[in-house]
Amino acid sequence: MCGIVAVIGSREAAPLLLEGLRQLEYRGYDSAGLATVEATPAGPGQLTCLRAEGKLVNLQQRYEQYPAAGHCGIGHTRWATHGKPEERNAHPHLDGTGQLAVVQNGIIENHRSLREQLQASGVVFLSDTDTEVIPHLISQCLARLRSSGRAASGSLLLEAVQQVLPELHGAYALAVVWGETPGALVVARRQAPLLIGLGEGEFLCASDTPALAGFTRTILPMEDGEVALLTPLGIELHDALGNRVQRTPSLLTGTEHVADKRSFRHFMHKEIHEQPETAALWVARHLPPPSDAPGSPSLVALPLPAKVFEGVEQIQILACGTSRHASLVGAYLLEQLAGIPTSVFHASEFRYAPPPLAPHTLTIGVTQSGETADTLAALVMEEERRGLIADPAYAARLLGITNRAESSLGRLVPHLLDIGAGIEVGVAATKTFLGQLLTFYGLALAFAERRSSRSPAQLQDLVSGLRALPAQLKELVEEHDRRCAELAHLFADTQDVIFLGRGINYPIALEGALKLKEISYIHAEGYPAGEMKHGPIALLDSRVPVVSIAMPGRVFEKVLSNAQEAKARDAQLIGVAPEGPDTALFDVLLPVPAVDELLSPLLTVIPMQLLSYHIAAHRGLDVDQPRNLAKSVTVE
Ligand code: AGP
């Protein structure tokens, strides 16, 4: 939520900042801004600040009219929390002299009391943001330090930031430039991501790797509480206690950090089409080739030590949004396939009402970005409350599932499953949902094999089904892309849609509804089909389409009966089901091959994604950057 970028080196900063922000725009697009510091031949430098409401393109235009010069600068793309999405609330925020600028991602929880304190000392605020307290606090601190005769320098700026940070409560990543020091900038983070990229004689710091990937492959992720002074000569890194820290940078590998739309109109469309490849990669990485040799490898290869699987009596999964929907499918598999009682929690609810502690519990945090504040905080809380109990049976056992191994989640949990779907830019998660599902199939199969909860033949059949998935997905994506594009006009005036599913496909109904809501702004609800008659059926009439997922298996007949009930209320019925006489009742069929019911969510989700995509695109909406949303939700 909000992206920040900072650069210092030998090149003009503004073009690098704008390119970095372009890569971070998925984190928020309510406004954007940048500040640069230009060195002047005599004395201090000159700070220029440009800000614009709305998308980055508006800032780009402003920059074309009023170029901001200098080799040092900071930039920001905003998702509004405190203060409306207006230019006066856009970052950077300045101190009273207009020569010190700050960008921030996070929330300063005690901003009200700090603001009152600053106002009492005569500070005038120009925005409604929580961030604006920071430049004023740093400015006052600099004034105090300089009153003892100290000259302006990067070290002085660093010292002032270090003195102010303990006053800030909450989570943040921030960057500061000062007109007096054109050759220095300071960055800091606490519970919000920040990475430093090391170029040749230049450094770029950003909230996420896509902003760095085009600049350098050598990165230094900052740890919680760290503060760094960046100059063209190097990085001076300090921990939260002020101690100097030396750490070896790491390398970004692969192309997964580069966001490229290729020939698609939207990232979401491209990412839906990438799913056969996501599945093929997952199969290649995790399903060893079939072998009859004695002692042949186990069914699934997961990079987890045996102790993660040993003695687990129950599993709890913490996640938000689409990641939670994938977790619901995961819970179904872990219970029905591996026989392990499993609960899924909204991470934001778990934080404030966790269930009583149970022994031998594996806690799984699922977040594609690895940065969702609620999921991270819920995991930290679980670790802390278990740490208070002496009995080792209650010790925290944490596992993370993410698409961003280098994220905060990656640093928080001892064990990690990287879904390896490659960078996802569209705010609506698609290929990462599939990657999360596949990861849960792998995990459930691994548990089931170890516990012999299903026969080897049954498990092997599922593995064979997974091997067939990439080819099935390829056909399905192509076919439904065409069908859904043709259907989209039917939803031109639709205001409500109901999605029905049961059993393992109930979470897919939830996911279908979420996809439609977030990109097309059509009200949609996902329901367990059998629950309709307990209330929601009252909503149905000829203006409310019902999308019903009916896959052969345990609840096939039941779902068809529930669909009949909707049809009897004049609802237009769209079926996600195999072709055949049983499914002739649907007004429109989005056909899906009849696979093993346990594997069906991997296929039924495709028409859900494409239907939402084409409805939103047909309505001319901004599919990749829907209103009010951001790709990673790094605030509570
Ligand atoms: C997905 O389409 C949504 N944009 C959203 O629900 C998302 O899944 C949620 O914010 C959780 O994000 P995470 O997976 O990065 O934790």
Side-chain angles (χ1 to χ4, degrees):
M1 219 128 232
C2 300
I4 70 170
V5 61
V7 69
I8 188 158
S10 51
R11 286 189 276 171
E12 278 299 311
L16 294 171
L17 293 171
L18 286 165
E19 176 52 24
L21 291 177
R22 196 174 68 80
Q23 298 290 341
L24 293 180
E25 210 182 3
Y26 72 88
R27 298 176 72 89
Y29 30 82
D30 287 332
S31 64
L34 59 83
T36 56
V37 182
E38 184 181 18
T40 54
Q46 176 60 44
L47 188 140
T48 307
C49 183
L50 302 178
R51 308 187 301 180
E53 186 180 326
K55 299 206 170 172
L56 186 60
V57 64
N58 300 342
L59 179 68
Q60 178 81 44
Q61 281 165 5
R62 191 139 309 171
Y63 172 66
E64 279 154 20
Q65 287 170 320
Y66 311 101
H71 295 176
C72 166
I74 56 179
H76 188 270
T77 179
R78 178 168 189 248
W79 186 84
T81 56
H82 295 66
K84 287 189 173 175
E86 295 169 352
E87 187 175 322
R88 68 195 194 88
N89 290 323
H91 297 219
H93 291 288
L94 305 179
D95 72 338
T97 69
Q99 282 302 300
L100 187 122
V102 173
V103 290
Q104 193 252 146
N105 162 36
I107 290 187
I108 307 306
E109 288 169 357
N110 57 335
H111 72 101
R112 265 192 214 90
S113 58
L114 292 171
R115 180 181 274 248
E116 280 162 18
Q117 182 188 309
L118 285 159
Q119 279 168 332
S121 70
V123 169
V124 176
F125 279 81
L126 302 177
S127 80
D128 303 324
T129 67
D130 53 333
T131 302
E132 198 186 344
V133 297
I134 306 173
H136 293 300
L137 288 169
I138 297 173
S139 187
Q140 287 191 345
C141 187
L142 279 168
R144 277 196 302 277
L145 291 169
R146 293 189 82 182
S147 66
S148 58
R150 296 180 60 187
S153 68
S155 305
L156 196 74
L157 180 62
L158 172 71
E159 197 177 325
V161 173
Q162 283 172 315
Q163 286 192 20
V164 165
L165 292 182
E167 293 186 51
L168 309 178
H169 300 171
Y172 55 75
L174 56 86
V176 189
V177 286
W178 187 22
E180 301 272 340
T181 55
L185 66 86
V186 174
V187 290
R189 68 155 287 210
R190 188 203 290 160
Q191 291 164 30
L194 204 53
L195 306 105
I196 302 173
L198 289 75
E200 282 181 25
E202 56 186 6
F203 299 93
L204 193 132
C205 188
S207 305
D208 199 358
T209 50
L212 299 171
F215 176 84
T216 181
R217 293 259 146 192
T218 312
I219 60 155
L220 189 71
M222 289 179 72
E223 297 289 344
D224 217 33
E226 284 182 346
V227 186
L229 168 66
L230 306 186
T231 71
L233 300 178
I235 304 169
E236 196 183 308
L237 191 62
H238 295 259
D239 67 16
L241 301 173
N243 304 313
R244 273 298 284 271
V245 179
Q246 300 284 354
R247 221 177 24 256
T248 314
S250 50
L251 274 185
L252 280 181
T253 53
T255 55
E256 64 271 26
H257 302 283
V258 183
D260 173 10
K261 222 185 274 179
R262 304 211 309 255
S263 57
F264 289 90
R265 204 171 125 213
H266 296 108
F267 275 107
M268 182 186 178
H269 200 205
K270 183 197 81 151
E271 286 153 5
I272 292 172
H273 276 265
E274 282 173 347
Q275 291 177 108
E277 197 186 323
T278 308
L281 272 174
W282 187 87
V283 167
R285 281 184 193 142
H286 300 294
L287 299 183
S291 161
D292 295 333
S296 60
S298 56
L299 284 176
V300 201
L302 295 179
L304 294 176
K307 66 177 180 196
V308 171
F309 297 94
E310 283 160 11
V312 173
E313 287 176 5
Q314 51 198 314
I315 295 177
Q316 54 187 14
I317 310 178
L318 316 177
C320 302
T322 286
S323 293
R324 183 176 155 273
H325 297 157
S327 304
L328 290 169
V329 175
Y332 190 99
L333 295 168
L334 287 161
E335 291 196 331
Q336 305 303 320
L337 199 58
I340 310 172
T342 304
S343 317
V344 180
F345 295 89
H346 293 276
S348 54
E349 293 294 318
F350 183 92
R351 291 179 69 175
Y352 300 102
L357 287 175
H360 305 294
T361 302
L362 175 66
T363 303
I364 308 178
V366 184
T367 156
Q368 87 76 24
S369 63
E371 302 295 351
T372 296
D374 281 318
T375 308
L376 298 180
L379 286 166
V380 168
M381 190 205 75
E382 187 62 3
E383 189 170 33
E384 283 172 0
R385 71 176 182 143
R386 286 180 178 270
L388 300 174
I389 300 196
D391 184 345
Y394 287 84
R397 301 167 71 161
L398 302 186
L399 168 66
I401 295 180
T402 185
N403 194 36
R404 309 301 301 277
E406 73 288 358
S407 63
S408 302
L409 178 78
R411 292 190 290 281
L412 178 70
V413 295
H415 306 292
L416 198 69
L417 289 173
D418 181 355
I419 66 174
I423 190 88
E424 184 177 73
V425 175
V427 163
T430 51
K431 65 174 179 171
T432 56
F433 177 73
L434 185 87
Q436 289 169 338
L437 289 187
L438 285 166
T439 305
F440 274 118
Y441 279 90
L443 198 62
L445 281 165
F447 268 114
E449 188 181 25
R450 280 176 167 79
R451 297 175 165 230
S452 306
S453 54
R454 291 279 183 117
S455 73
Q458 281 175 315
L459 297 180
Q460 198 51 257
D461 280 352
L462 287 173
V463 170
S464 306
L466 288 171
R467 281 187 206 289
L469 185 68
Q472 286 171 327
L473 283 174
K474 192 163 177 0
E475 263 184 43
L476 218 56
V477 168
E478 279 163 17
E479 179 179 355
H480 287 296
D481 202 11
R482 207 183 51 251
R483 285 183 189 253
C484 293
E486 284 164 13
L487 276 184
H489 72 277
L490 297 178
F491 295 81
D493 300 315
T494 300
Q495 300 205 348
D496 305 277
V497 180
I498 303 286
F499 289 79
L500 301 180
R502 285 182 86 141
I504 197 165
N505 275 301
Y506 164 51
I508 304 301
L510 293 177
E511 178 60 6
L514 178 62
K515 288 287 89 91
L516 191 64
K517 275 186 265 210
E518 66 182 336
I519 60 168
S520 72
Y521 318 142
I522 294 175
H523 170 247
E525 296 296 339
Y527 255 89
E531 276 290 302
M532 279 300 282
K533 58 177 91 57
H534 299 288
I537 201 164
L539 294 170
L540 297 189
D541 63 24
S542 59
R543 289 163 305 170
V544 181
V546 171
V547 180
S548 174
I549 309 168
M551 293 301 286
R554 239 187 249 191
V555 287
F556 188 44
E557 308 295 339
K558 308 279 173 207
V559 180
L560 292 176
S561 306
N562 300 140
Q564 288 285 11
E565 290 156 13
K567 197 177 171 105
R569 272 83 192 170
D570 292 333
Q572 195 205 358
L573 270 191
I574 297 152
V576 175
E579 269 171 318
D582 289 332
T583 55
L585 81 156
F586 293 111
D587 300 310
V588 176
L589 187 71
L590 294 172
V592 172
V595 293
D596 186 320
E597 187 184 21
L598 280 182
L599 296 173
S600 61
L602 295 161
L603 302 182
T604 53
V605 71
I606 301 296
M608 300 290 156
Q609 297 169 344
L610 283 163
L611 192 60
S612 304
Y613 170 74
H614 282 293
I615 291 173
H618 183 78
R619 290 184 164 212
L621 296 170
D622 192 342
V623 172
D624 287 330
Q625 297 183 336
R627 69 185 182 202
N628 306 339
L629 296 179
K631 182 78 181 157
S632 43
V633 184
T634 57
V635 293
E636 189 179 345

